[in-house]
């Protein structure tokens, strides 16, 4: 259907939700906004869907939720009665409409006779991953838009292992979703009737307690934590999201006595009033934590995003201020600590990272004779590999991370877990404090040992239909470029993950990339330098990743500037 037909279908619907009807009426004179709201169905991709709230087929609302869940229900039905009885676990974050969407998902699944386990109040995404495994359900749903602005919400689906749907399963669910012809006519069951029939079960403390019990295993040095519990000053902010209870309880389990939560950001709030963006990747999100840190003399500041799957950390620096570590820096520090604390590392130990994550981690793993495996961007690929190696025994998982502040320490969850990461980060700070060092000084030790790895990320936001087309045109333009040198660095290889081809520039030969196909283009330069282009899977952005290495920090900064200047000159001609 074209957008006008879709719009009329909604406008003339007899029983459209009253609030959505009002919002739709307010858009009647704004044809551009109407077209954007109705020109397509909100895409249900391999990780679910995410979009702006509001009326329309290209928006997050009760009806697009129903369409997505109807597809999931058909997928579960196709797997048989046992899977219907196993049911689906459902969690949700602090955003507008999150609980309403969670209940609506339960009503759609209930109409198909599929049992649901719904948290009584908001919970972190990693606890949903854990709940799927703990309750042995057929899968899970979490309603969240992660760190997106307040006007967004989203819907993510998990498989029976507690990981985000891998590509093959996702493709099957997507096919069922796309078969739903009219989101306005999806059947839903009555909530009270589902509760009476036992098809909707509310869950809370039992799962919390089980998760917290597993969380104890994240500590690698409990005796140190006990002996030095009074030594560490921690400031924590959940950024108006879901992490407060589990992080505070986890730090208490460690024995830490001085944990200061940022009061202004402690309570859930869908408007995220104290930050420009509820994203621990953004330094601005740490402003209040830094203020608190200076007041109490904090050794580490910890911040989680709204659904608590990403963790950011800030640490004291030489200027009596705090420096926010990058995900790559924090990941390297965590990895080095984990591997150093093993008295007997397994011969088949494994680090899993993504293709846009720094090579710093690989160097650390090499030092400890631990293998490194790269996956596509997205933690679902890391979770998928954990499951595979758990089954085959080929490797033993030791740590997984990605540059965008996603970390997994122990595999009792199968998605990035900021609660686990918060516990490990606090122990990491305590360990280095016991050595008389800050985390920045510890990081410098790693640089001196492995080389000065420096990374950066640039994003271009291009909204709407025209933006989507422009992003694709940028990707195609770079694919058509013959690039053999960037600044002083020669191009060694060009990896096109859409075609699964690696072009070796000097030899003029091609080899196969064994990872799944994806719209990603990576230029490998000499001396561990590279840059990569990738459209975001969750936001209307195209992202440019950069990674460099040299024997000095200043030389690495110079190399980074060479890469960024080259790419930006190309972009300027295109945009």
């Amino acid at each position: 259907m074209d957008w006008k037909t879709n719009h009329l279908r909604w406008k003339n619907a007899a029983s459209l939700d009253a609030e959505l009807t009002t919002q739709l009426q307010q858009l009647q004179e704004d044809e551009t906004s109407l077209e954007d709201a109705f020109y397509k169905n909100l895409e249900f991709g391999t990780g679910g869907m995410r979009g702006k709230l509001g009326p329309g087929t290209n928006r997050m609302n009760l009806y697009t939720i129903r369409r997505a869940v109807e597809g999931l229900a058909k997928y579960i039905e196709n797997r048989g009665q046992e899977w219907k009885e196993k049911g689906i676990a459902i969690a949700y974050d602090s955003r507008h409409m999150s609980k309403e969407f969670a209940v609506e998902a339960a009503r759609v699944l209930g109409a198909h006779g599929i049992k649901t386990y719904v948290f009584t109040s908001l919970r972190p995404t990693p606890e949903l991953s854990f709940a799927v495994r703990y309750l042995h359900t057929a899968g899970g749903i979490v309603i969240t838009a992660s760190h997106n602005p307040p006007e967004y919400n989203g819907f993510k689906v998990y498989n029976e292992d507690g990981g985000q749907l891998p590509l093959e399963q996702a493709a099957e669910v997507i096919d069922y979703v796309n078969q739903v012809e009219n989101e306005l006519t999806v059947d839903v069951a009555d909530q009270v009737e589902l509760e009476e029939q036992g098809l909707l079960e509310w869950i809370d403390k039992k799962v919390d307690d089980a998760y917290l019990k597993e969380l104890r295993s994240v500590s690698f040095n409990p005796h140190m934590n006990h002996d030095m519990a009074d030594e560490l000053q921690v400031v924590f902010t959940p950024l108006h999201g879901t992490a407060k209870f589990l992080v505070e309880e986890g730090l208490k389990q460690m024995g830490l006595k001085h944990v200061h939560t940022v009061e202004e950001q402690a309570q859930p709030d869908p408007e995220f009033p104290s930050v420009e963006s509820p994203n621990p990747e953004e330094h601005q999100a740490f402003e209040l934590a830094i203020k608190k840190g200076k007041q109490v003399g904090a050794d580490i500041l910890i911040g989680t995003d709204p659904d608590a799957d990403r963790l950011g950390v800030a640490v004291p620096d030489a200027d009596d201020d705090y420096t926010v570590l990058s995900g790559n820096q924090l990941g390297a520090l965590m990895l080095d600590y984990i591997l150093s604390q093993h008295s007997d590392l397994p011969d088949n130990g494994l680090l899993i990272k993504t293709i846009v994550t720094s090579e710093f981690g690989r160097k650390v793993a090499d030092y400890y004779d631990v293998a490194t495996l790269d996956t596509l961007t997205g933690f679902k690929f890391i979770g998928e590999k954990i499951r595979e190696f758990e089954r085959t025994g080929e490797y033993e998982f030791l740590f997984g991370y990605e540059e965008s502040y996603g970390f997994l320490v122990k595999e009792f969850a199968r998605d990035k877990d900021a609660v686990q990461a918060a516990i490990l980060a606090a122990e990491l700070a305590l360990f280095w404090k016991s050595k008389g060092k800050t985390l920045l000084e510890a990081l410098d030790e790693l640089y001196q040992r492995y080389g000065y790895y420096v990374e950066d990320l640039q994003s271009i936001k291009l909204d709407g239909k025209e933006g989507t087309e422009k992003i694709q045109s940028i990707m195609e333009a770079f694919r058509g470029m013959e690039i053999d040198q960037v600044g002083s660095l020669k191009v060694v290889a060009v990896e096109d993950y859409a075609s699964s081809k690696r072009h070796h520039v000097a030899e003029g030969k091609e080899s196969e990339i064994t990872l799944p196909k994806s719209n990603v283009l990576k230029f490998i330069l000499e001396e561990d330098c590279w840059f990569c282009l990738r459209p975001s899977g969750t936001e209307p952005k195209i992202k440019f990743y950069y990674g460099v290495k040299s024997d000095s920090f200043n030389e690495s900064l110079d190399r980074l500037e060479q890469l960024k200047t080259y790419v930006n000159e190309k972009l300027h001609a295109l945009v």
Side-chain angles (χ1 to χ4, degrees):
M1 298 181 187
D2 63 28
W3 74 266
K4 291 183 179 180
T5 304
N6 266 334
H7 170 228
L8 285 175
R9 184 165 58 85
W10 275 57
K11 184 178 180 181
N12 297 329
S15 57
L16 193 71
D17 174 75
E19 185 174 349
L20 289 173
T21 298
T22 299
Q23 293 172 1
L24 190 59
Q25 291 170 347
Q26 293 169 349
L27 290 177
Q28 292 309 303
E29 304 304 317
D30 187 349
E31 187 167 295
T32 300
S33 295
L34 281 174
E35 180 180 5
D36 191 53
F38 287 99
Y39 84 94
K40 65 174 183 177
N41 287 324
L42 184 62
E43 183 178 355
F44 191 100
T46 57
M49 62 185 188
R50 190 179 298 183
K52 292 180 179 179
L53 292 158
T57 57
N58 189 33
R59 294 288 184 266
M60 285 291 297
N61 52 62
L62 292 173
Y63 303 102
T64 51
I65 285 288
R66 288 178 182 178
R67 177 176 180 267
V69 182
E70 179 72 7
L72 177 62
K74 295 288 188 183
Y75 168 79
I76 296 295
E77 283 184 325
N78 187 54
R79 303 186 82 177
Q81 184 62 29
E82 180 184 355
W83 286 91
K84 291 174 65 173
E85 293 173 1
K86 281 177 174 287
I88 298 291
I90 303 176
Y92 51 92
D93 69 5
S94 57
R95 290 179 176 272
H96 292 294
M97 296 297 293
S98 281
K99 186 169 186 178
E100 290 87 345
F101 290 165
V103 171
E104 205 67 16
R107 294 177 67 202
V108 174
L109 291 165
H112 289 265
I114 299 170
K115 183 177 177 66
T116 55
Y117 300 85
V118 185
F119 279 101
T120 56
S121 59
L122 53 80
R123 289 298 191 284
T125 289
E127 189 176 0
L128 181 279
S129 173
F130 171 78
V132 169
R133 297 175 58 79
Y134 177 71
L135 298 170
H136 305 291
T137 64
I141 292 170
V142 62
I143 307 296
T144 178
S146 189
H147 57 279
N148 281 70
E151 64 269 24
Y152 281 78
N153 211 328
F155 174 95
K156 293 201 295 187
V157 182
Y158 289 73
N159 70 358
E160 67 276 11
D161 190 52
Q164 293 184 47
L165 290 180
L167 295 178
E168 187 174 331
Q169 286 181 308
E172 190 175 349
V173 174
I174 290 167
D175 186 54
Y176 280 116
V177 172
N178 290 338
Q179 290 175 32
V180 180
E181 294 183 356
N182 189 344
E183 67 285 344
L184 300 177
T185 59
V186 173
D187 289 334
V188 295
D190 180 76
Q191 177 184 336
V192 174
E193 290 180 2
L194 292 175
E195 291 168 344
E196 291 173 348
Q197 295 166 13
L199 284 174
L200 194 170
E201 182 177 331
W202 296 96
I203 55 173
D204 45 35
K205 189 176 185 300
K206 179 181 176 182
V207 181
D208 294 340
D209 290 346
Y211 177 90
L212 285 167
K213 182 179 179 181
E214 292 286 354
L215 196 61
R216 294 180 183 274
S217 68
V218 173
S219 289
F220 289 85
N221 205 333
H223 294 298
M224 176 192 70
N225 297 340
H226 178 269
D227 294 343
M228 296 186 63
D230 202 38
E231 299 296 317
L232 197 72
Q233 297 283 344
V234 179
V235 168
F236 163 59
T237 173
L239 294 179
H240 305 291
T242 60
K244 183 177 186 294
F245 171 72
L246 287 180
V247 170
E248 288 180 344
E249 287 298 308
L251 294 173
K252 188 184 297 182
Q253 283 186 168
M254 281 180 65
L256 299 186
K257 297 180 180 179
H258 305 292
V259 178
H260 312 271
T261 301
V262 178
E263 296 87 354
E264 300 95 325
Q265 298 171 331
Q267 297 307 311
D269 190 325
E271 287 297 317
F272 311 110
S274 67
V275 291
E276 294 175 11
S277 170
N279 185 356
E281 291 182 74
E282 304 290 342
H283 292 200
Q284 183 273 337
F286 273 95
E287 284 184 0
L288 290 177
I290 289 172
K291 180 180 177 182
K292 186 81 171 179
K294 290 178 178 179
Q295 291 173 354
V296 301
D299 300 291
I300 186 170
L301 317 179
I302 294 171
T304 55
D305 70 343
D307 69 321
D309 61 356
R310 298 176 189 234
L311 177 92
V313 162
V315 294
D317 58 31
D319 298 320
D320 294 323
D321 205 346
Y322 287 87
T323 293
V324 180
L325 299 178
S326 73
N328 286 311
Q329 291 170 330
L330 182 56
L333 282 164
M334 286 179 166
L335 175 64
D336 178 73
Y337 176 69
I338 290 170
L339 299 184
S340 71
Q341 295 304 297
H342 276 271
S343 58
D344 187 20
L345 282 166
D347 292 336
N348 62 342
L350 182 68
L351 161 70
I352 310 178
K353 71 177 190 67
T354 70
I355 59 173
V356 296
T357 300
S358 173
E359 291 300 293
F360 198 2
R362 189 188 308 276
K363 287 291 185 182
V364 174
D366 286 348
Y367 180 81
Y368 290 95
D369 293 323
V370 167
T372 299
L373 178 72
D374 284 325
T375 70
L376 290 178
T377 306
F379 223 88
K380 65 183 173 185
F381 296 108
I382 295 177
E384 186 179 10
K385 285 298 179 182
I386 293 172
R387 185 183 193 186
E388 175 188 330
F389 298 136
E390 188 177 59
R391 187 169 57 245
T392 65
E394 182 180 359
Y395 289 107
E396 183 176 330
F397 172 78
L398 296 177
F399 187 56
Y401 77 110
E402 57 186 2
E403 47 71 41
S404 55
Y405 291 77
F407 311 96
L408 184 62
V409 187
K410 296 290 185 178
E411 62 269 36
F412 59 81
R414 292 296 163 90
D415 201 358
K416 52 185 179 285
D417 188 339
V419 183
Q420 288 192 34
I423 303 309
L424 181 62
E427 182 169 302
L428 182 65
L430 188 57
F431 172 80
W432 283 105
K433 186 169 187 178
S434 74
K435 307 291 184 185
K437 297 180 184 294
T438 68
L439 285 182
L440 276 184
E441 290 169 334
L443 181 63
D444 193 56
E445 281 195 10
L446 297 189
Y447 283 144
Q448 291 177 43
R449 181 186 298 168
Y450 302 114
Y452 288 81
Y453 286 85
V454 179
E455 297 78 30
D456 202 1
L457 169 65
Q458 291 180 307
S459 297
I460 297 179
K461 187 175 183 180
L462 296 164
D463 283 311
K465 183 180 179 182
E466 289 185 5
T468 301
E469 293 169 351
K470 176 60 72 174
I471 288 172
Q472 187 56 35
S473 72
I474 292 171
M475 292 298 298
E476 292 309 311
F478 271 88
R479 282 193 170 95
M481 295 177 188
E482 292 187 7
I483 303 174
D484 55 16
Q485 186 151 337
V486 178
S488 62
L489 298 166
K490 292 180 179 179
V491 177
V492 175
V494 180
E495 298 178 338
D496 189 343
Y497 290 83
S499 64
S500 297
K501 297 293 184 184
R502 180 183 294 106
H503 175 63
H504 301 270
V505 175
E507 298 90 341
K509 298 178 180 179
E510 286 190 344
S511 60
E512 292 292 320
I513 296 173
T514 57
L515 297 178
K517 292 183 183 294
S518 183
N519 189 18
V520 179
L521 194 61
K522 186 172 184 179
F523 293 82
I524 312 294
L525 312 177
E526 58 187 342
E527 298 187 47
D528 264 359
C529 300
W530 55 274
F531 69 92
C532 180
L533 291 73
R534 183 183 76 89
S536 172
T538 58
E539 301 171 271
K541 292 179 178 179
I542 181 169
K543 295 186 175 183
F544 300 84
Y545 302 83
Y546 305 91
V548 298
K549 178 243 182 179
S550 75
D551 293 330
S552 76
F553 187 63
N554 286 336
E555 185 180 356
S556 289
L557 290 179
D558 180 63
R559 287 182 169 181
L560 180 65
E561 191 59 32
Q562 289 181 45
L563 266 61
K564 291 169 66 175
T565 299
Y566 180 89
V567 171
N568 286 327
E569 286 175 353
K570 297 292 185 184
L571 274 175
H572 183 72
L574 295 171
V575 179

